């Protein structure tokens, strides 16, 4: 009984290779079956030579299997057993037990099944070929030299054939049943793991959403109050520069948060690209401003080459393109200690080998005007190069793997998650673009990103002066997009600092702002007064923004049943946009929200 328990434990141990378990099963049943065959052979009058061969096989296979099992080399035992069966045991058994008039032929069929199920890799194919050659050889030899076969009388031949059929069939059934049982068990385990992974993914998404909300809430306050400082024309140059640095640091922190959230979305297949018209100069100016300050902190140059012939307005996912550039530039800045980091932007038209007007003499817009008017799509080429530490050749194949960093020990004091390049690669794939890398270890790296984008306005970008884009002296004076003292706005948020920031960001428009710290307080106010627009936070205790929206719409004789409601949320992503649209919100603003976004939403809804 103890042996059976140990055998069962071994056969059900998922840590043991399946084919090793299969071999142990077959060996155990095979040795038992040969023992039964020897006993039965005595009763049916089998010749002595056949019985001795079978008995010696029991001893040999048992001893050899036990030794290999204890040494953990069952793979060798399986190969050697196959060799003995094919080259020694079966030919001897064939000639000593009646040839084709006994049960030997059935054991050849069993051995082929054994080889197919137990042996691994090239050994399987080798021994199947050897087995077929062996069968042909012994059959041909028995035909040419029938005197070599120890013949059976009719009764013995009948009994031997029947016994071999029963035993060989039982062995093959055991092997096939074991394979089927393993497959069914693996399917059940895979399904259970899939359910568990789904639960983990849901928990992970909830966690990331919660983290996003908790981190974006204070950043919303920081960025909002900082924007108010920058609006103040009376502040000193030093304060303005400090405020711009605060804004850059906040944007870097947001970029890090977005990397973590985006990795989760990409893995779950929920990431989507949302193309829209955007201004190249504005986008590139923001990227350059953010990275120039970081390069300045480390004491090296950050140079920019922008093709002046680049169309000013394109159609693409501006946020994702900015994210790609920031991640690549941030990576270059982190791993560069001296020299320079350079951002070069050019473009290619369809069928064009390359467009170099920005670097080797610009083509006149007037001369190119008719040609550019025909261009529907272009490939924009972003190249980020540096004089940093470079990348080892053996590391290049794994460069875009998540959580991977080059020379971890050497750069253990460099900040970062190791997600940036992985996200860049996957965003490029989602946008149908490509990314290439060239690097020489110790001399620097260059990343080239190509993204196809539609042209919304073929007017050329013109000269791009990064110093002018960065100058605080050129900081334009803030002017509200509109002034509407008769407009009544309700802002609902459980965070008083968010209410303070959003109220002050709208102060210059002179709209009448009322605030509510909860959904219940919001419902009380909407029952008493008509508002032109309601800004609604999503994540609030007791009653969240979605529940509050439905309650407003269902108020009996409500004054705000049709009032436009704009969701304010830290939950980014296309799936969340679709959720809010389904629930009935009229617009979507992502925290941290800027003053221009608040004004823009009001202008859209109050036109």
């Amino acid at each position: 009984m103890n042996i059976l328990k140990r055998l069962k434990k071994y056969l059900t141990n998922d840590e043991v290779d399946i084919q090793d378990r299969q071999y142990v099963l077959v060996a155990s049943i095979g040795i038992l079956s040969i023992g039964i065959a020897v006993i039965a052979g005595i009763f049916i009058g089998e010749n002595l030579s056949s019985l001795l061969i079978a008995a010696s096989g029991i001893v040999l296979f048992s001893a050899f299997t036990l030794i290999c099992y204890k040494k953990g080399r069952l793979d060798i035992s399986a190969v050697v057993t196959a060799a003995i069966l094919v080259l020694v045991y079966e030919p001897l058994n064939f000639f000593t037990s009646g040839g084709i008039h006994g049960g030997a032929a059935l054991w050849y069929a069993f051995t082929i099944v054994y080889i197919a199920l137990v042996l691994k890799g090239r050994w399987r194919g080798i021994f199947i070929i050897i087995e077929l050659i062996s069968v042909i050889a012994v059959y041909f030899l028995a035909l040419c030299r029938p005197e070599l076969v120890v013949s059976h009388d009719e009764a013995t031949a009948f009994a031997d054939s029947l016994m071999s059929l029963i035993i060989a069939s039982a062995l093959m059934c055991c092997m096939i049943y074991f394979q089927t049982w393993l497959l069914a068990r693996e399917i059940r385990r895979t399904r259970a793991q899939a359910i568990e992974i789904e639960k983990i993914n849901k928990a992970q998404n909830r966690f990331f959403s919660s983290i996003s909300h908790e981190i974006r809430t204070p950043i919303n306050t920081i960025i909002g109050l900082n924007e108010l400082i920058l609006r103040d024309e009376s502040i000193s140059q030093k304060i303005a520069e400090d405020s711009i640095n605060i804004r850059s640091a906040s944007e870097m922190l947001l970029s890090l948060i977005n990397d973590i959230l985006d990795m989760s979305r990409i893995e779950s297949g929920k990431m989507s690209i949302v193309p829209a018209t955007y201004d190249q100069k504005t986008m590139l100016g923001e990227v350059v401003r953010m990275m120039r300050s970081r390069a300045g902190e480390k004491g090296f140059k950050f140079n920019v080459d922008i093709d002046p012939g680049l169309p000013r307005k394109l159609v693409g996912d501006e946020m994702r393109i900015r994210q790609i550039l920031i991640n690549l530039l941030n990576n270059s800045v982190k791993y560069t200690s001296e020299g320079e980091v350079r951002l070069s932007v050019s473009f290619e038209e369809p069928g064009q080998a390359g467009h170099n007007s920005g670097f080797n003499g610009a083509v006149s817009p007037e001369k190119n005007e008719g040609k550019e008017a025909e261009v529907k799509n272009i490939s924009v080429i972003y190249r980020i190069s540096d004089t940093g530490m470079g990348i080892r050749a053996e590391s290049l194949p794994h460069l875009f793997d998540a959580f991977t960093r080059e020379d971890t020990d050497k750069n253990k004091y460099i900040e970062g998650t190791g997600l940036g390049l992985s996200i860049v690669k996957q965003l490029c794939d989602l946008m149908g673009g490509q990314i290439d890398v060239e690097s020489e270890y110790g001399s620097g790296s260059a990343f080239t990103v190509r993204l196809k984008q539609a042209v919304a306005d073929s007017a050329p970008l013109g000269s791009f002066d990064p110093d002018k884009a960065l100058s605080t002296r050129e900081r334009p004076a803030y002017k509200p997009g509109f002034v509407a003292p008769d407009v009544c706005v309700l802002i609902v948020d459980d965070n008083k600092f968010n209410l303070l920031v959003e109220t002050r960001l709208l102060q210059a428009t002179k709209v009448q702002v009322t605030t509510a710290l909860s959904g219940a307080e919001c419902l009380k106010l909407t029952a008493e007064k008509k508002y032109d627009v309601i800004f609604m936070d999503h994540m609030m205790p007791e009653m969240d923004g979605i529940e509050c929206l439905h309650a407003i719409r269902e108020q009996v004789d409500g004054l705000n049943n049709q009032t436009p409601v704009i969701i304010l949320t830290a939950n980014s992503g296309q799936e969340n946009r679709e959720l809010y649209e389904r629930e009935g919100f009229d617009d979507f603003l992502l925290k941290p929200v800027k003053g221009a976004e608040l004004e823009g939403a009001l202008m859209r809804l109050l036109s």
Side-chain angles (χ1 to χ4, degrees):
M1 291 298 293
N2 188 41
I3 294 175
L4 291 176
K5 287 181 180 180
R6 291 179 64 182
L7 179 62
K8 181 180 179 182
K9 184 178 179 181
Y10 182 85
L11 294 176
T12 56
N13 186 356
D14 293 323
E15 296 181 2
V16 178
D17 185 83
I18 289 178
Q19 284 165 311
D20 285 347
R21 287 184 278 166
Q22 182 83 276
Y23 171 70
V24 169
L25 174 70
V26 173
S28 301
I29 298 175
I31 291 169
L32 179 63
S33 299
I34 295 174
I36 295 172
V38 170
I39 296 172
I42 296 172
F43 287 100
I44 65 173
E46 185 65 80
N47 63 74
L48 183 61
S49 57
S50 177
L51 294 175
L52 288 175
I53 290 172
S56 62
I58 294 175
V59 176
L60 179 64
F61 291 144
S62 299
F64 190 69
T65 301
L66 186 60
I67 291 170
C68 290
Y69 171 76
K70 289 184 176 181
K71 290 184 176 293
R73 297 309 307 266
L74 287 174
D75 54 335
I76 294 177
S77 180
V79 172
V80 173
T81 300
I84 293 173
L85 282 173
V86 172
L87 300 175
V88 180
Y89 185 81
E90 285 186 334
L92 288 176
N93 185 52
F94 181 87
F95 286 108
T96 60
S97 58
I100 63 172
H101 300 294
L106 294 169
W107 288 103
Y108 275 109
F110 161 75
T111 304
I112 290 177
V113 175
Y114 165 84
I115 291 170
L117 292 178
V118 173
L119 296 191
K120 305 175 186 177
R122 64 179 184 275
W123 290 115
R124 182 186 295 118
I126 290 171
F127 273 101
I128 285 177
I129 293 171
I130 294 173
E131 171 76 346
L132 293 175
I133 293 172
S134 175
V135 170
I136 295 170
V138 297
Y139 268 63
F140 182 75
L141 188 59
L143 177 65
C144 297
R145 299 285 302 276
E147 68 276 8
L148 296 176
V149 179
V150 179
S151 60
H152 281 156
D153 58 45
E154 187 175 352
T156 303
F158 177 84
D160 184 32
S161 177
L162 178 61
M163 181 181 64
S164 297
L165 175 64
I166 294 172
I167 296 175
S169 298
L171 281 171
M172 286 189 282
C173 285
C174 286
M175 287 191 291
I176 295 171
Y177 172 80
F178 186 65
Q179 283 283 346
T180 306
W181 177 79
L182 283 177
L183 178 61
R185 190 172 182 221
E186 193 64 26
I187 291 173
R188 288 194 299 269
R189 190 169 63 172
T190 301
R191 287 174 179 170
Q193 287 177 342
I195 294 171
E196 188 64 26
I197 289 171
E198 182 66 24
K199 289 179 181 178
I200 292 172
N201 285 336
K202 288 180 179 178
Q204 176 180 281
N205 290 335
R206 286 195 298 270
F207 171 75
F208 284 141
S209 296
S210 175
I211 286 293
S212 173
H213 180 267
E214 294 303 320
I215 295 178
R216 284 177 182 270
T217 296
I219 292 179
N220 186 60
T221 303
I222 294 168
I223 292 179
L225 292 176
N226 192 64
E227 183 178 341
L228 292 170
I229 293 172
L230 286 171
R231 286 183 182 183
D232 188 350
E233 296 181 22
S234 65
I235 62 175
S236 67
Q237 179 70 18
K238 182 67 170 66
I239 292 175
E241 290 175 355
D242 290 343
S243 292
I244 287 177
N245 289 334
I246 290 172
R247 181 169 62 186
S248 295
S250 299
E251 288 172 346
M252 287 302 302
L253 180 56
L254 275 176
S255 176
L256 179 61
I257 296 167
N258 288 335
D259 281 350
I260 297 172
L261 291 172
D262 288 344
M263 198 68 212
S264 173
R265 290 195 191 99
I266 290 170
E267 288 177 349
S268 61
K270 294 181 179 179
M271 172 66 76
S272 57
I273 299 301
V274 185
T277 300
Y278 72 97
D279 187 281
Q280 282 273 74
K281 182 169 281 189
T282 301
M283 186 272 287
L284 291 172
E286 291 177 356
V287 171
V288 170
R289 182 189 68 245
M290 186 186 305
M291 301 312 302
R292 176 68 69 87
S293 62
R294 295 209 70 206
E297 291 171 3
K298 296 189 69 174
F300 58 81
K301 295 180 180 179
F302 176 48
N303 295 319
V304 181
D305 291 319
I306 309 295
D307 187 336
L310 186 71
R312 178 154 189 159
K313 291 188 177 181
L314 300 175
V315 178
D317 193 326
E318 178 186 2
M319 183 177 74
R320 300 305 176 192
I321 295 171
R322 185 192 290 112
Q323 188 176 359
I324 287 172
L325 295 179
I326 289 173
N327 276 336
L328 289 175
L329 287 167
N330 189 47
N331 202 64
S332 289
V333 169
K334 281 193 298 185
Y335 291 99
T336 301
S337 55
E338 60 182 10
E340 71 164 9
V341 170
R342 181 177 294 271
L343 168 63
S344 303
V345 185
S346 59
F347 72 99
E348 291 179 356
E349 297 176 4
Q352 195 176 22
H355 186 96
N356 300 312
S357 62
F359 310 123
N360 297 309
V363 177
S364 168
E366 288 79 16
K367 293 180 181 179
N368 210 27
E369 184 176 354
K371 183 179 178 181
E372 286 191 294
E374 300 174 2
V375 176
K376 300 289 185 180
N377 295 280
I378 61 172
S379 291
V380 182
I381 305 165
Y382 306 93
R383 182 178 175 85
I384 292 90
S385 58
D386 62 65
T387 56
M389 61 175 289
I391 305 162
R392 296 179 188 273
E394 61 268 25
S395 298
L396 287 174
H398 310 288
L399 191 61
F400 298 107
D401 294 345
F403 301 106
T404 299
R405 297 177 67 187
E406 168 73 357
D407 280 355
T408 304
D409 292 336
K410 185 177 179 181
N411 298 292
K412 60 185 176 183
Y413 298 113
I414 293 179
E415 73 277 9
T417 60
L419 288 175
L421 291 180
S422 175
I423 290 172
V424 165
K425 177 65 168 67
Q426 296 187 71
L427 287 177
C428 286
D429 292 343
L430 283 171
M431 288 189 278
Q434 68 180 71
I435 180 170
D436 300 304
V437 58
E438 306 164 32
S439 185
E440 182 178 346
Y441 188 66
S443 300
S445 307
F447 291 84
T448 303
V449 174
R450 295 171 179 265
L451 297 175
K452 290 183 180 179
Q453 300 177 61
V455 177
D457 183 352
S458 59
L461 184 70
S463 62
F464 182 87
D465 186 348
D467 293 320
K468 186 176 180 181
L470 290 164
S471 174
T472 56
R473 293 184 181 88
E474 299 296 329
R475 179 169 51 93
Y478 165 73
K479 291 182 180 179
F482 64 91
V483 175
D486 295 329
V487 169
C488 296
V489 173
L490 174 61
I491 305 177
V492 187
D493 198 310
D494 64 308
N495 187 293
K496 62 181 181 180
F497 293 109
N498 284 343
L499 293 177
L500 170 66
V501 168
E502 289 149 11
T503 300
R504 291 187 60 185
L505 287 174
L506 290 173
Q507 190 172 356
T509 65
K510 298 186 179 181
V511 299
Q512 301 174 40
V513 177
T514 305
T515 61
L517 277 165
S518 66
E521 185 178 353
C522 169
L523 293 177
K524 182 179 178 182
L525 292 171
T526 54
E528 297 172 352
K529 182 178 177 179
K530 173 73 171 71
Y531 294 95
D532 295 294
V533 172
I534 299 172
F535 290 99
M536 180 78 69
D537 182 33
H538 179 193
M539 304 295 287
M540 296 187 293
E542 297 181 7
M543 180 186 296
D544 67 22
I546 294 176
E547 294 170 333
C548 190
L549 169 69
H550 293 321
I552 292 171
R553 297 290 188 239
E554 295 168 3
Q555 280 181 317
V556 179
D557 299 325
L559 300 173
N560 295 276
N561 295 138
Q562 304 301 320
T563 299
V565 180
I566 302 169
I567 188 73
L568 298 175
T569 179
N571 298 328
S572 60
Q574 184 63 24
E575 71 277 9
N576 287 308
R577 289 177 180 268
E578 293 170 355
L579 166 66
Y580 297 131
E581 184 177 349
R582 287 196 305 270
E583 295 294 343
F585 287 98
D586 297 276
D587 210 339
F588 172 102
L589 289 181
L590 181 64
K591 293 180 180 179
V593 64
K594 299 177 181 178
E597 293 171 342
L598 289 171
E599 292 177 11
L602 286 174
M603 291 177 69
R604 286 193 298 274
L605 294 175
L606 298 176
S607 61

